[in-house]
Amino acid sequence: MVQQNPKNRLNSEQYARLKAEMAAPYRGLRQFIYIACGASGFIGAIVFFSQLLAGRDVDSALPNLALQVGVVTLMVFLWRWEQRRQKRS
């Protein structure tokens, strides 16, 4: 039987991190994308909402505002879904 070199062994914290990464690969990248797209949608929503308040180009600002609110809603949903999946595992 071959014994492992103690230098190559992982401590329990490193092993848990590797196991979590195997269960949910690219989780950190996905969360970054959720935050970036959500922030972008929020900024866009502020811009289009201010256009609506000013009364400028209401016909195009209203659908764009709805789209931005939808993007923010989707990112919040995906973020919460990701958190629920993390708690289960």
Side-chain angles (χ1 to χ4, degrees), residues 9 13-14 30 33 55:
R9 288 187 173 216
E13 181 181 321
Q14 290 173 328
R30 285 193 309 264
I33 290 171

Side-chain angles (χ1 to χ4, degrees), residues 14-32:
Q14 290 173 328
Y15 181 74
R17 288 182 89 186
L18 287 173
K19 194 171 179 180
E21 182 65 27
M22 284 177 43
Y26 303 112
R27 182 175 174 270
L29 178 64
R30 285 193 309 264
Q31 288 183 336
F32 173 76

